[in-house]
Amino acid sequence: MEIKIDLPISLHIGTIEYENLEGGFWRLNENNTIYNLNNLPHEFRQEGIRVAILLKKSPEDVVNIFMNGIFYEVLSIKKID
Amino acid sequence: MEQYFVIIARFYPITLSTLVIFIYIWNLLDLSNKFSKIKSFLSYLIIFNLVLHFIAFYCNYNSEIGVDYFWVFWVIRDLLLIVLSIIAFENKKLAILFTFFWISFGIYWGIKKNLIDELQRDFVKIKDWVSELPKSNYSAELLISLNDNSQLPALKNYLNSQSIKFEIEEAFPLIKDKDLTDLDNWYTIDVENDEIANKVYELLKNSKLISSIEWNDKYEVLPEESNTGHKKPISFSTINDVHSIEQWALYALNIDEFVTKLKRIKPKKISKIFILDTGLDANHEDLKENYFSVSKEYDRDTEIHGTHCAGIAAAVTNNQIGVASLNYNNRFCKVTSITVLPNGKGRQEQIIDGMILAADLGADVISMSLGGPSSDSRQAAYEEAIEYCNKKGAIVVVAAGNNNMDAKYFAPACCSNCITVAAVDSNLRKASFSNYFTEQKYGIAAPGVDILSTTPHNQYKKLNGTSMATPYVSGIIGVMKSIKPNLTTEEAFNILNDTGKILEKNNLSHKHIGNFIQPNKAIEKLTRKTYHFHWFIEWLIKLFSFSLV
């Protein structure tokens, strides 16, 4: 029997980018897959840095001003070289 | 079909004018018998012109611009003018006077009724129509080089014998000096599809007639990403707000013409625009005079988004401070805030609560620069809320979203009884991020790139997004509601859409974003319909003018 678990938490490695829309927000680019970030700590708000990041998907019924897809909560983040 | 009727209908005044000119020439030629051949040609032209005239006439009354009973008067008028022109041209002095009057009258009404602009709109429609026509049945292409040009007929015979439908053309027809190159031996073979192209390739690759054969890749040039920032120097004669020179959107929206029209209009009330967003800095120097508070908790902005949107919709204008909005001299609208997205995000329940509160507080326009993914249940809830707002007299304006996707996948953008707004850049091209419309009932476009507006603590900032386009539409609807308080969503959209600038389609993507709002024309159309006591003057204009109403 196959048991499928849809985990709301996932680990990603990618580059931090800034999207200049609606006042701007930060996102993670992991091999051209984009994850919009809700609460990126200030020390990581630099374009081009590579990070390992633990994300939790926001509920889909959340409405926001960015209107640019689903956002993710940053649970943990570490800079990698 | 309707649009073609409208286009042909435009020929109506032209055919009438040319008819008179032909009669005039006919009369001149009548003085001498030397021109019998020209006269005979002219008679055909007159007949052709008459036929075109009556076709255009028919089209007028089969399109929206036709008015039920005017055709009786127009027929009488046309016949009268033709008879008058024949009589007048017997007398040279009268003929000159008559021609001068005729041309002046035509030019005057042409300019007054924006006939040139209308014709430009039609031209864009025709261009779109032509570009959508199937250009060729051949979608695959091979490039070959013949050993000798004399072998071309043999090649054609060979392909015909294989029952292949094809077109063969010189690949480089512009070569002038053919002695210097062998490129004149190169030809393209167009066939219906890749499968047939493969078959031709297999047939010819070992043929002695040709020296080489290859697939000819068809490259499509993607549209250039629009440059942001208006290149033209911007200055306005009707507003004096210091930062207005950085507001390209006001230039694109023809604010000078718009203000000139507004100066002559007395609003019936001051309409209320509700910004449902992140809150609003009620003490901003360029907003406070136009702001009324619903509750103190909404009078501050946790982000910058709500304050920015409010400035676009109704910043205090012509006060030598900050930016300008469409709310000229602050005579038409007031703005307020309900915080539904503290910190920029929230849940649908908060949005709907805000909508109901706004409607209950007498909102004329509810501006919502927000959204999220749609689902049946979410859409249904928004639809109910919008219906409630509509019944209370409010028009709901929402952002299309910033995913460069179909707005139908996002709520409340997908809802049917609100006006959904897409964004364009300073070149009036779809903003790269803007969502587009395929099923949207009321979709329209407004400026949404590099938009300067108010931000908290008396600051000003340029932002991008369909959120910025939305309050431009809310602003003009606010002005319209102050002139015609019982304006409905459908009426407001029809006016904005009918008077909007038709944006040239991006032929590669076919991403439709609606017409670009033109507030000056919208107000002109609105007031033309509103002031019914002018009906008699309108009636006289229609009766005697060349232009189409």
Side-chain angles (χ1 to χ4, degrees):
Chain A
M1 189 174 73
E2 189 185 344
I3 300 171
K4 193 180 174 189
I5 303 169
D6 189 12
L7 285 173
I9 295 168
S10 53
L11 178 69
H12 303 273
I13 294 172
T15 310
I16 296 291
E17 292 177 349
Y18 183 73
E19 177 60 77
N20 186 21
L21 265 178
E22 309 285 355
F25 56 90
W26 294 91
R27 61 192 203 177
L28 180 83
N29 184 337
E30 185 186 42
N31 301 324
N32 293 325
T33 304
I34 302 295
Y35 300 89
N36 296 328
L37 305 175
N38 249 336
N39 55 337
L40 184 68
H42 280 274
E43 60 268 32
F44 292 94
R45 293 186 181 187
Q46 300 167 48
E47 276 207 271
I49 59 166
R50 281 187 63 75
V51 292
I53 193 166
L54 198 59
L55 297 177
K56 183 185 173 193
K57 195 174 174 181
S58 299
E60 284 197 5
D61 63 340
V62 167
V63 182
N64 63 52
I65 54 172
F66 302 110
M67 296 175 279
N68 194 261
I70 293 163
F71 274 72
Y72 293 78
E73 302 289 335
V74 178
L75 297 178
S76 178
I77 182 166
K78 191 180 177 186
K79 191 175 173 182
I80 54 173
D81 297 319
Chain B
M1 198 62 188
E2 176 70 23
Q3 60 174 318
Y4 303 118
F5 273 2
V6 173
I7 292 165
I8 297 166
R10 303 256 183 256
F11 286 100
Y12 174 66
I14 298 166
T15 52
L16 187 60
S17 310
T18 46
L19 206 58
V20 174
I21 292 165
F22 287 155
I23 294 167
Y24 182 53
I25 297 168
W26 177 282
N27 238 280
L28 286 175
L29 297 178
D30 219 24
L31 302 172
S32 165
N33 287 328
K34 289 178 189 171
F35 304 104
S36 57
K37 278 186 183 173
I38 299 174
K39 276 187 74 176
S40 148
F41 176 65
L42 201 61
S43 63
Y44 287 119
L45 275 182
I46 290 172
I47 291 165
F48 172 74
N49 200 90
L50 262 173
V51 172
L52 191 61
H53 182 70
F54 285 109
I55 291 171
F57 191 94
Y58 170 79
C59 287
N60 264 312
Y61 295 99
N62 275 281
S63 67
E64 279 179 6
I65 44 180
V67 188
D68 292 343
Y69 55 89
F70 269 107
W71 68 271
V72 179
F73 297 102
W74 284 35
V75 165
I76 296 167
R77 184 200 65 177
D78 288 3
L79 289 175
L80 201 67
L81 286 174
I82 293 165
V83 171
L84 268 174
S85 66
I86 293 168
I87 296 166
F89 293 136
E90 293 293 329
N91 181 321
K92 260 192 173 179
K93 281 180 188 168
L94 201 61
I96 292 165
L97 199 71
F98 193 71
T99 312
F100 177 75
F101 170 75
W102 196 285
I103 292 168
S104 311
F105 201 56
I107 291 170
Y108 173 72
W109 280 112
I111 293 167
K112 192 169 172 68
K113 293 282 179 179
N114 294 316
L115 200 64
I116 294 163
D117 200 45
E118 293 289 316
L119 286 169
Q120 279 174 347
R121 285 160 63 103
D122 290 344
F123 181 68
V124 172
K125 276 185 197 170
I126 293 167
K127 256 173 66 181
D128 279 350
W129 178 63
V130 170
S131 68
E132 280 165 15
L133 288 174
K135 287 191 172 54
S136 166
N137 291 325
Y138 300 105
S139 62
E141 192 171 86
L142 294 161
L143 189 65
I144 59 157
S145 168
L146 286 176
N147 286 325
D148 193 309
N149 268 340
S150 62
Q151 290 163 330
L152 184 63
L155 178 73
K156 284 181 181 175
N157 287 340
Y158 177 62
L159 291 176
N160 281 329
S161 68
Q162 299 295 320
S163 306
I164 292 168
K165 281 185 185 174
F166 67 97
E167 268 181 11
I168 190 161
E169 285 177 352
E170 279 184 62
F172 309 104
L174 297 178
I175 295 168
K176 283 181 184 169
D177 204 340
K178 294 185 177 178
D179 295 336
L180 298 178
T181 174
D182 287 334
L183 285 173
D184 61 318
N185 290 349
W186 287 80
Y187 290 85
T188 55
I189 301 175
D190 288 301
V191 291
E192 277 176 21
N193 52 44
D194 288 354
E195 199 182 325
I196 298 171
N198 258 329
K199 187 181 169 188
V200 174
Y201 183 87
E202 291 300 322
L203 285 170
L204 294 183
K205 70 178 179 185
N206 296 321
S207 167
K208 288 177 183 172
L209 295 170
I210 63 168
S211 57
S212 76
I213 181 166
E214 58 191 272
W215 281 85
N216 198 20
D217 293 327
K218 290 189 172 179
Y219 291 97
E220 286 178 328
V221 180
L222 290 167
E224 220 174 277
E225 189 69 30
S226 301
N227 296 323
T228 54
H230 212 277
K231 292 179 192 69
K232 293 175 189 172
I234 299 168
S235 64
F236 304 105
S237 59
T238 54
I239 50 171
N240 60 18
D241 306 74
V242 288
H243 292 310
S244 61
I245 52 169
E246 296 172 63
Q247 291 182 274
W248 69 264
L250 298 179
Y251 181 85
L253 298 173
N254 283 320
I255 193 155
D256 280 337
E257 278 184 43
F258 176 68
V259 166
T260 308
K261 287 195 174 84
L262 286 190
K263 281 178 180 172
R264 295 190 221 120
I265 294 168
K266 193 179 171 192
K268 289 185 177 162
K269 69 170 206 175
I270 293 179
S271 65
K272 295 177 192 168
I273 301 175
F274 277 64
I275 306 288
L276 271 57
D277 213 284
T278 57
L280 194 159
D281 179 4
N283 292 317
H284 196 288
E285 60 179 7
D286 211 15
L287 281 171
K288 60 184 175 189
E289 201 183 312
N290 258 355
Y291 184 76
F292 71 99
S293 178
V294 167
S295 165
K296 279 194 175 176
E297 62 179 309
Y298 304 143
D299 295 350
R300 62 186 186 87
D301 194 349
T302 51
E303 303 278 320
I304 59 170
H305 198 262
T307 308
H308 199 272
C309 291
I312 296 166
V316 182
T317 300
N318 219 24
N319 61 342
Q320 298 184 319
I321 294 172
V323 292
S325 70
L326 298 175
N327 183 23
Y328 179 67
N329 274 4
N330 321 311
R331 292 167 54 218
F332 298 88
C333 320
K334 291 277 180 194
V335 68
T336 192
S337 156
I338 293 177
T339 307
V340 292
L341 298 175
N343 305 314
K345 59 179 179 173
R347 290 186 180 273
Q348 189 185 26
E349 295 79 24
Q350 291 167 259
I351 317 291
I352 289 177
D353 284 347
M355 290 170 74
I356 289 165
L357 178 61
D360 287 344
L361 290 170
D364 291 292
V365 186
I366 298 173
S367 187
M368 302 203 297
S369 294
L370 48 84
S374 180
S375 70
D376 287 348
S377 61
R378 269 173 236 151
Q379 184 177 350
Y382 275 126
E383 296 276 16
E384 290 266 341
I386 292 167
E387 197 181 329
Y388 179 82
C389 295
N390 290 164
K391 281 180 181 168
K392 286 272 188 171
I395 293 175
V396 180
V397 185
V398 304
N402 301 321
N403 299 70
N404 187 22
M405 285 169 67
D406 194 329
K408 71 180 179 182
Y409 299 116
F410 300 88
C414 61
C415 295
S416 52
N417 290 314
C418 60
I419 295 176
T420 307
V421 189
V424 299
D425 64 17
S426 59
N427 295 317
L428 302 191
R429 285 163 64 162
K430 176 187 163 299
S432 56
F433 53 80
S434 177
N435 285 351
Y436 49 87
F437 310 127
T438 54
E439 295 170 11
Q440 201 57 41
K441 193 174 171 189
Y442 303 135
I444 201 109
V449 177
D450 271 349
I451 303 300
L452 185 74
S453 184
T454 49
T455 53
H457 315 298
N458 297 335
Q459 300 295 306
Y460 302 88
K461 200 174 175 184
K462 283 182 181 176
L463 298 184
N464 307 314
T466 51
S467 287
M468 283 65 245
T470 305
Y472 273 117
V473 175
S474 303
I476 178 60
I477 293 177
V479 174
M480 289 161 77
K481 286 278 273 185
S482 75
I483 298 165
K484 190 180 179 186
N486 58 353
L487 191 75
T488 65
T489 306
E490 188 178 10
E491 286 168 346
F493 173 76
N494 286 341
I495 290 172
L496 291 175
N497 188 53
D498 293 349
T499 57
K501 189 176 275 183
I502 297 168
L503 300 173
E504 287 199 54
K505 273 185 193 169
N506 176 343
N507 285 326
L508 295 178
S509 62
H510 292 283
K511 288 170 180 170
H512 175 67
I513 55 166
N515 292 347
F516 180 70
I517 57 164
Q518 292 288 279
N520 57 326
K521 291 179 184 172
I523 289 301
E524 188 183 319
K525 185 161 184 174
L526 178 80
T527 49
R528 206 161 60 203
K529 284 191 170 178
T530 306
Y531 294 112
H532 296 296
F533 57 84
H534 282 159
W535 69 270
F536 184 68
I537 297 166
E538 285 278 317
W539 188 85
L540 283 176
I541 290 168
K542 283 172 188 172
L543 189 57
F544 291 109
S545 79
F546 285 87
S547 69
L548 303 169
V549 181

